[in-house]
Amino acid sequence: MDKANLQWKLNKVTLNIPDELGGLKFGDFNGDGKEDILRWDSKNLMYRVYQQTSDNEYKLLSVFGPWGRSNGRLMVADFDGNGKSDLAMYQPEEGNIDFALSYQSNNP
């Protein structure tokens, strides 16, 4: 935020991950304190987690799916309190929530 002009400043960041279809969510999926990236393809219900190894450097940590439903709402939070980001898929039409809990180790 540019406080002098009361305007937001836009900064473009290029993420060093493969150019694939899908949305992005961020979280600490392995508990190492670094912001990792989740790319999910809502059409094919496939997920890829990229672990941050250093500033703007990522490596593929895991791939899973199909999981969830294309009409679901994806949420990222530490639902089980273990210090690692988990996923939840909420299906509002059915009133269901499905969880995918993160068990990844932060050890190499």
Side-chain angles (χ1 to χ4, degrees), residues 70-84:
S70 59
N71 64 341
R73 296 181 185 159
L74 183 65
M75 298 175 279
V76 176
D78 182 8
F79 294 107
D80 61 0
N82 68 352
K84 300 171 186 169

Side-chain angles (χ1 to χ4, degrees), residues 1-8:
M1 170 98 178
D2 180 355
K3 293 180 183 179
N5 295 318
L6 296 176
Q7 294 182 352
W8 291 101

Side-chain angles (χ1 to χ4, degrees), residues 25-30 34-38 50-52:
K25 295 271 186 183
F26 298 87
D28 182 5
F29 295 99
N30 64 341
K34 297 177 184 173
E35 199 76 18
D36 305 315
I37 299 174
L38 171 76
Y50 294 93
Q51 175 184 355
Q52 185 179 33

Side-chain angles (χ1 to χ4, degrees), residues 88-106:
M89 180 71 69
Y90 172 57
Q91 287 97 26
E93 294 81 18
E94 298 149 11
N96 294 329
I97 299 178
D98 190 15
F99 293 92
L101 303 178
S102 180
Y103 296 102
Q104 291 291 332
S105 170
N106 59 358

Side-chain angles (χ1 to χ4, degrees), residues 21-88:
L21 292 177
L24 297 177
K25 295 271 186 183
F26 298 87
D28 182 5
F29 295 99
N30 64 341
D32 65 357
K34 297 177 184 173
E35 199 76 18
D36 305 315
I37 299 174
L38 171 76
R39 183 181 301 271
W40 89 97
D41 179 346
S42 61
K43 181 178 179 184
N44 296 314
L45 304 173
M46 295 298 296
Y47 302 78
R48 293 178 180 271
V49 177
Y50 294 93
Q51 175 184 355
Q52 185 179 33
T53 57
S54 62
D55 287 344
N56 201 29
E57 292 295 323
Y58 299 87
K59 71 175 184 178
L60 184 63
L61 181 65
S62 65
V63 177
F64 66 97
W67 177 75
R69 297 201 178 166
S70 59
N71 64 341
R73 296 181 185 159
L74 183 65
M75 298 175 279
V76 176
D78 182 8
F79 294 107
D80 61 0
N82 68 352
K84 300 171 186 169
S85 296
D86 307 306
L87 304 179

